[in-house]
Amino acid sequence: MIRRFFVTLIALLTLAYLVLPLVVILGSSVTTTPFLSFPPQGASLKWYATMLHEPGYVSAYATSTMLATSATALAMLLAVPAAIALARYEYAGKRSVHALLSAPMVLPHIVLAAALLQFGGSFGLVRNFPSLLVGHVVIVMPFILQSVMPLFTSGQLALEEASADLGATRLETFFLVTLPQIRPGLVAGAVIAFITSWINVEMSIFNTTAELNTIPVKLFNYVQYTIDPTIAAVSGATIVAAAIAILVLDLSIGLGMLDETP
Amino acid sequence: MPQPLLSLQGITKSFGSAPALREINLEIAHGEFVALLGPSGCGKTTLLRSIAGFVTPDSGRIQIDGVDMVGSPPHLRPLNTVFQHYALFPHMTVAQNAAYGPLRAGLSKREAETKAIEALAMVDMARFSERYPRELSGGQQQRVALARAVVNRPKLLLLDEPLSALDMKLRKRMQLELKQLQSSLGITFLFVTHDQEEAMAMADRIVLMNEGRIEQVGTGPQLYMQPRTRFAAEFIGEANFFDFRRSGGAIELNGGLATVATHAPDLPDRGLAVLRPEFLRLADASELSLEGCRFSATPLETLRLGSHDILYVQAQGHTMSVRLPGNRLPAHLPDQVELVFDPANLHLLCQEP
Amino acid sequence: MSAQKFPALLLGAALAFLTAFFLIPMTVVLVASLQDKAGGLSIAQYARVLADSYHLAVVLTTFRISIFTTLLCVALAYPLAWYLVRIVRWRWWRRACVILLVIPLFTSNIVRSFGWIVLLGRNGLVNDAAVALGLADRPMRILGTETAILVGMVYVLLPLAVLGIGNALLKVDRALESASDDLGATPLRTFLHITFPLTLPGVVASAVMVFTLATSAYVTPALLSGGRVTVLSMLIFQQYSATFDFSFGGALSIVLLALTLILVGVASRFGKVRT
């Protein structure tokens, strides 16, 4: 039917629109020319090699990864007990607590970063790894919280009660029953947290230095002045990494987005 | 008098402004099989969970074998629970589920395993020990949940609507098996159900609850034949109600429908009388002199259910049901029928209607 | 297990962390915003934001771009969501499309904007195509206009809108549509009177989310503005990295923050949008 055709057409064009820039970046990253060109002239991976040999990029990759890893780990340590406190207890002010813990997810990152700069700057928490870590933990913790909380269902509560009924202490119940059950949410949340931290610019931009840099900030600074195939290669690498991450996630846990309800 | 296993004194609990339990007092002896019976919202599950320790009462005492349980968390109470949807740990095998309790109690892995297999054998599930709960049917999961709960030989076993998720035939079979298990283990069972037939089938004593209060406690037959309130009469079995009024040495039913001579000593002036449907029968035309009460009624509807028939009639504006053995009713009933009953089967309720 | 007392042990760490590194810094910003040049308490900085014509223009530009971004996002997201939820029959293709949709979300905004820098540049594909098709005599300047920012922002936020609207579509009870058909409505009328209204809360929630993210976005406008367009977040960044006027920066931040909170409040009325 005609309407279906038009909707499909728009949809596919939109999909093309979504894919186009990524294709352009990947394409121009393999050009043999020393300037950016799309379609690429020739095909070569030399710009990827250049990127891997430049210590600035390598250390930025390392910093980004270390930052994302530690931010995710710290966020998990903070968020999991908080999730239990929100899901299993009743007390005054619970909604405010939940709002506070979720707030960084909806508020402008540039504002959060500026606030941390002003606050941290007054006692030396600037331009070092801890200053980066703190900002990243603040913005990724809500993702872990949001990912884990739905798993505290009434069925899960019954399991925890059964565990207590059978003689397990609260700690034993947490490690033997709760943790294995919330693991899918924990993993999904950790992945989202990791990626969110890795690609984030705003929370890093005030605290990076020449020696302590993240890939997104490095890219951001570079791109404003010049664009060349090396930058395309760096960007291409992140696209490939994102694609792999998504595929792994979907194949293992299943993204479960827009799936038809059975 | 031997010490009761479970003693509840003055248990009260409200959730916010909604009262769930009002002054519950109850004693359960060792080795009893007791049912908490009532409609949804009557408080039976809240009471069970209070005994288990998942709900803290606002006031009152819970004692198990004389030991006060208030302040004692669930994992320290000498009882175990079988949950309504079994709550089997999905990430553990059947054997690991059953061994969970003994391991937490400090037994070695080998000892725990032995006890687990032993308990599973009792419910005929030993051969499924390496399976995971999701691979089992509902009935099988139920047995595993049972084994997991009894492996520790608790003093008291609580069961929260254990059979509600099973289909009819399986339920009937499990009812029998639960009874057998209970008597062979000697553990006191306290189970919650909304199904009065189930309570009657399994329990030594039934605690009937309504709106947070204990309505009546007794054996099945006691509750059936001598209900104390209208609610009790209606909840268990079918009931026909008559308003009665004392007139002389007799009571008059429904403003003159029938008069029953009675020698009961302290009769209230007026009240409610209950007659179970199976105690009404159709009078033969030939029965002229009888020792019963008879009255006329208009047949409304007939349900022929194979093993028995139910005839709905109307007399003086009141609808009643008559339960007859199957296959006795003629195909067509006259406009008026004569019903007869033995006044000895008429039960007067203590309370005002 | 529930208790009436506050689970301090469980919440302590998280609350302490967020208080130290979120609440207090925000308070510092708020206090700074209420100081004038002399250091006294005043709302002079806020007056600067709203009274100064340049600053007001920045705010208006931000709004303008955000509104158009939202409208375009919703306009494009609905057909794509409809396609994925209602038209696509092969599960593997739907899954592949969703993966394609989500991959950009997992790449940095710089990378995504960088692609548009390449595409929209004077030597980029868009200009090449325009000249080749005869739409223009020579390459136009696209980068450094609001249009470029718009294109980039729609690009960045579209996947979120698709997921949000897609979820809203999934929740529609198909039985209601069948009932409508059964009662004699054409497919178009069923859509207009039954389906679309049912998805409206989800659509509005997605729209508000897109608008919120658009107003607070920094990277995409910064990269595609070419120095010629300024939005609120860029102005804020300037105060903290160049001018070091933390008081004015504070006022700008609080204005943006307040705006976001209002929008979030509005959005929560329409139910949660889960991505």
Side-chain angles (χ1 to χ4, degrees):
Chain A
M1 172 196 18
I2 301 189
R3 270 194 287 272
R4 258 173 96 104
F5 172 73
F6 275 116
V7 172
T8 306
L9 186 64
I10 298 177
L12 290 176
L13 285 175
T14 310
L15 264 179
Y17 165 67
L18 284 173
V19 171
L20 189 59
L22 304 180
V23 168
V24 166
I25 293 173
L26 285 170
S28 38
S29 69
V30 297
T31 185
T32 48
T33 57
F35 51 87
L36 207 60
S37 130
F38 188 83
Q41 299 172 22
S44 154
L45 288 178
K46 64 180 176 186
W47 304 113
Y48 287 93
T50 313
M51 163 189 84
L52 287 173
H53 284 108
E54 251 205 59
Y57 280 118
V58 172
S59 90
Y61 269 115
T63 307
S64 285
T65 308
M66 223 172 31
L67 184 57
T69 310
S70 26
T72 303
L74 190 50
M76 282 203 286
L77 285 176
L78 294 175
V80 171
I84 298 177
L86 286 173
R88 295 270 179 260
Y89 291 82
E90 292 299 322
Y91 41 91
K94 188 160 111 156
R95 294 182 89 189
S96 311
V97 170
H98 195 171
L100 174 62
L101 293 176
S102 311
M105 203 158 53
V106 296
L107 299 182
H109 287 175
I110 196 76
V111 168
L112 297 181
L116 271 172
L117 173 70
Q118 188 171 4
F119 175 59
S122 61
F123 56 90
L125 190 66
V126 268
R127 285 183 278 281
N128 52 31
F129 190 82
S131 66
L132 286 170
L133 182 62
V134 152
H136 281 237
V137 170
V138 167
I139 62 163
V140 303
M141 196 182 70
F143 285 108
I144 308 224
L145 194 67
Q146 187 195 52
S147 199
V148 158
M149 277 195 69
L151 291 175
F152 284 95
T153 58
S154 53
Q156 173 63 24
L157 177 62
L159 292 180
E160 291 167 14
E161 288 183 344
S163 174
D165 182 76
L166 291 165
T169 62
R170 281 228 247 265
L171 220 57
E172 285 175 320
T173 298
F174 174 72
F175 283 105
L176 294 172
V177 175
T178 310
L179 212 50
Q181 288 300 113
I182 64 171
R183 204 177 50 190
L186 211 52
V187 169
V191 171
I192 297 179
F194 183 88
I195 292 171
T196 304
S197 164
W198 214 98
I199 66 176
N200 189 274
V201 176
E202 296 94 341
M203 302 315 290
S204 313
I205 203 166
F206 289 122
N207 287 311
T208 49
T209 65
E211 298 87 23
L212 183 73
N213 213 345
T214 66
I215 289 285
V217 174
K218 209 168 159 67
L219 277 178
F220 181 72
N221 289 326
Y222 206 104
V223 155
Q224 292 183 67
Y225 301 107
T226 179
I227 55 175
D228 59 25
T230 313
I231 289 294
V234 178
S235 306
T238 64
I239 296 174
V240 171
I244 294 176
I246 296 277
L247 275 172
V248 166
L249 204 60
D250 188 52
L251 290 173
S252 58
I253 301 176
L255 288 175
M257 298 190 202
L258 297 192
D259 277 345
E260 275 169 2
T261 40
Chain B
M1 176 142 127
Q3 178 166 269
L5 170 72
L6 177 68
S7 167
L8 303 171
Q9 295 155 36
I11 302 290
T12 309
K13 176 73 185 175
S14 294
F15 291 109
S17 56
L21 295 173
R22 308 178 213 240
E23 288 287 321
I24 301 285
N25 296 293
L26 182 64
E27 273 184 8
I28 297 182
H30 286 265
E32 275 200 281
F33 198 145
V34 176
L36 290 180
L37 175 67
S40 339
C42 71
K44 55 193 192 296
T45 302
T46 309
L47 187 59
L48 196 80
R49 288 170 62 81
S50 302
I51 299 170
F54 301 122
V55 167
T56 309
D58 298 329
S59 63
R61 278 213 300 193
I62 301 177
Q63 288 175 324
I64 298 183
D65 250 348
V67 179
D68 217 333
M69 289 288 123
V70 167
S72 201
H75 70 270
L76 293 178
R77 300 198 184 193
L79 50 80
N80 282 118
T81 309
V82 177
F83 291 78
Q84 186 170 10
H85 300 291
Y86 321 129
L88 295 178
F89 305 127
H91 57 290
M92 297 186 193
T93 62
V94 162
Q96 287 168 332
N97 265 280
Y100 192 81
L103 282 173
R104 302 286 84 72
L107 265 58
S108 78
K109 201 150 178 275
R110 204 144 41 91
E111 286 172 328
E113 259 167 50
T114 315
K115 294 202 115 189
I117 302 292
E118 200 186 294
L120 287 168
M122 257 195 289
V123 293
D124 204 21
M125 288 297 293
R127 64 187 184 282
F128 293 99
S129 59
E130 291 313 302
R131 300 266 189 101
Y132 282 90
R134 61 177 172 274
E135 302 172 48
L136 303 176
S137 71
Q140 290 169 331
Q141 289 184 17
Q142 215 258 5
R143 287 163 198 263
V144 175
L146 209 56
R148 186 178 70 171
V150 301
V151 70
N152 300 313
R153 293 294 185 277
K155 293 185 180 173
L156 175 62
L157 187 67
L158 304 174
L159 303 100
D160 187 359
E161 308 228 28
L163 308 180
S164 62
L166 304 175
D167 64 69
M168 179 70 102
K169 286 252 180 302
L170 200 50
R171 284 178 85 152
K172 297 263 183 242
R173 207 175 73 192
M174 282 308 299
Q175 282 169 8
L176 224 56
E177 293 193 22
L178 271 178
K179 258 205 100 56
Q180 289 167 339
L181 190 67
Q182 193 262 342
S183 49
S184 65
L185 283 173
I187 300 179
T188 311
F189 275 28
L190 177 61
F191 80 100
V192 157
T193 181
H194 59 270
D195 185 330
Q196 41 106 87
E197 265 186 49
E198 188 164 280
M200 303 269 278
M202 293 203 283
D204 298 328
R205 267 198 312 156
I206 300 177
V207 177
L208 183 62
M209 290 182 69
N210 187 29
E211 291 186 354
R213 277 186 256 267
I214 294 184
E215 193 91 352
Q216 191 172 347
V217 180
T219 66
Q222 276 173 348
L223 282 166
Y224 189 74
M225 294 304 294
Q226 286 129 37
R228 281 224 282 270
T229 63
R230 181 178 188 127
F231 171 80
E234 275 183 321
F235 196 83
I236 302 195
E238 300 291 322
N240 294 311
F241 293 102
F242 301 89
D243 295 316
F244 73 84
R245 211 177 35 189
R246 189 145 57 105
S247 73
I251 52 174
E252 194 183 68
L253 298 177
N254 276 0
L257 179 71
T259 307
V260 179
T262 173
H263 305 294
D266 343 280
L267 264 179
D269 284 338
R270 40 186 337 126
L272 205 61
V274 180
L275 187 67
R276 299 287 182 192
E278 64 268 22
F279 295 130
L280 273 170
R281 60 185 176 83
L282 291 174
D284 288 331
S286 56
E287 287 180 74
L288 290 171
S289 71
L290 22 162
E291 298 147 17
C293 303
R294 59 192 293 163
F295 60 93
S296 316
T298 315
L300 291 176
E301 195 74 56
T302 314
L303 295 178
R304 297 171 200 271
L305 301 171
S307 58
H308 59 278
D309 296 338
I310 303 192
L311 171 65
Y312 290 96
V313 300
Q314 192 172 59
Q316 287 191 348
H318 291 79
T319 308
M320 294 173 214
S321 64
V322 182
R323 184 177 161 128
L324 301 163
N327 260 334
R328 297 280 185 86
L329 276 179
H332 295 287
L333 288 166
D335 290 337
Q336 286 276 337
V337 289
E338 292 280 300
L339 295 174
V340 189
F341 67 90
D342 182 345
N345 291 321
L346 189 68
H347 175 69
L348 303 180
L349 295 181
C350 292
Q351 291 184 342
E352 300 302 311
Chain C
M1 300 180 235
S2 72
Q4 289 305 115
K5 47 182 175 49
F6 193 81
L9 212 63
L10 290 170
L11 280 177
L15 281 182
F17 194 89
L18 277 187
T19 305
F21 300 114
F22 174 63
L23 280 183
I24 295 183
M26 294 307 305
T27 314
V28 168
V29 165
L30 179 64
V31 167
S33 74
L34 292 171
Q35 293 179 327
D36 60 21
K37 289 208 177 23
L41 202 66
S42 93
I43 55 167
Q45 306 292 356
Y46 290 94
R48 271 177 76 187
V49 177
L50 301 169
D52 185 295
S53 63
Y54 171 66
H55 297 140
L56 207 53
V58 167
V59 173
L60 288 176
T61 305
T62 312
F63 269 128
R64 190 168 52 239
I65 297 178
S66 302
I67 289 177
F68 280 118
T69 302
T70 308
L71 291 174
L72 266 178
C73 264
V74 171
L76 289 176
Y78 209 107
L80 183 50
W82 185 274
Y83 172 71
L84 289 176
V85 172
R86 292 295 183 91
I87 297 182
V88 174
R89 285 280 154 253
W90 294 316
R91 255 195 93 215
W92 62 267
W93 174 235
R94 186 186 310 121
R95 232 169 136 186
C97 287
V98 171
I99 289 178
L100 278 180
L101 203 61
V102 174
I103 287 179
L105 283 178
F106 279 19
T107 60
S108 191
N109 285 350
I110 306 120
V111 170
R112 299 157 87 181
S113 308
F114 171 54
W116 286 109
I117 293 179
V118 175
L119 279 167
L120 298 175
R122 279 191 206 278
N123 302 318
L125 266 186
V126 173
N127 265 318
D128 285 351
V131 169
L133 288 173
L135 294 172
D137 303 323
R138 51 196 169 80
M140 314 168 277
R141 178 176 66 79
I142 309 180
L143 281 181
T145 64
E146 284 187 26
T147 311
I149 300 180
L150 185 62
V151 169
M153 293 282 275
V154 169
Y155 178 72
V156 164
L157 296 173
L158 194 55
L160 293 174
V162 173
L163 290 174
I165 295 180
N167 275 318
L169 273 171
L170 274 175
K171 288 200 175 71
V172 171
D173 187 352
R174 304 295 291 265
L176 295 172
E177 293 176 3
S178 304
S180 175
D181 285 341
D182 187 66
L183 291 167
T186 63
L188 181 62
R189 299 198 96 195
T190 299
F191 174 74
L192 286 174
H193 294 289
I194 306 289
T195 315
F196 183 70
L198 283 174
T199 59
L200 205 50
V203 170
V204 172
S206 295
V208 175
M209 176 180 63
V210 168
F211 188 81
T212 309
L213 291 170
T215 42
S216 31
Y218 171 66
V219 171
T220 306
L223 285 181
L224 295 175
S225 67
R228 295 168 193 262
V229 184
T230 310
V231 295
L232 194 49
S233 55
M234 291 165 66
L235 202 56
I236 294 176
F237 180 73
Q238 277 173 23
Q239 308 311 314
Y240 286 93
S241 63
T243 17
F244 294 107
D245 187 347
F246 286 7
S247 296
F248 185 49
L252 290 168
S253 300
I254 298 295
V255 165
L256 183 56
L257 194 66
L259 190 69
T260 311
L261 282 172
I262 294 172
L263 288 170
V264 167
V266 166
S268 64
R269 294 281 202 95
F270 288 92
K272 299 233 180 89
V273 177
R274 311 242 0 258
T275 52

